Amino acid sequence: MSTPSRRTTEVSGSEALGLLQGAAQGSMVHVRREMPVVRPTVHVREYGRLIVRTPAQAAALACRPSLTAHYRRILPGWAHDPHDTLVRMRPQAVAGFRLAHAEAAR
């Protein structure tokens, strides 16, 4: 059985924000010890800001400690992970890619 091939298509910033608004989960990439680290996230977009909950060390993400317990209630987290972190950011430069099945070779 063959595995279907996939391709990526770049989308505009406004379309990427729309996709972000419609998705409940994603990934966050940050640098730790000069190496990229990818962590799963859950998020919500409110008042033009993105609130992200991720199992990452807060020091590595330079988060702001002023986030309230409200976001811990509405965003499911990683209860058994000591690095459960909330991050608030303002999306300024958003880029995205859409995954699609590649055309079958003829």
Side-chain angles (χ1 to χ4, degrees):
M1 179 181 273
S2 65
T3 304
S5 59
R6 296 183 185 257
R7 64 181 173 83
T8 59
T9 305
E10 191 167 5
V11 298
S12 69
S14 60
E15 186 176 356
L17 275 175
L19 292 171
L20 183 67
Q21 185 74 29
Q25 299 178 3
S27 299
M28 175 179 277
V29 180
H30 65 92
V31 177
R32 182 175 173 206
R33 297 185 189 148
E34 299 181 16
M35 295 293 292
V37 177
V38 180
R39 293 285 186 247
T41 65
V42 291
H43 64 271
V44 65
R45 191 163 174 237
E46 291 185 337
Y47 309 111
R49 294 190 181 192
L50 187 63
I51 311 300
V52 177
R53 190 170 189 175
T54 184
Q57 291 179 340
L61 301 176
C63 72
R64 298 178 183 168
S66 62
L67 295 176
T68 68
H70 164 72
Y71 294 111
R72 292 203 185 275
R73 284 192 306 271
I74 67 169
L75 292 173
W78 291 263
H80 301 294
D81 193 326
H83 302 303
D84 186 25
T85 303
L86 285 167
V87 180
R88 178 179 50 206
M89 60 184 82
R90 184 182 309 268
Q92 295 173 342
V94 178
F97 294 89
R98 183 183 299 275
L99 292 175
H101 292 286
E103 300 280 332
R106 297 184 191 252

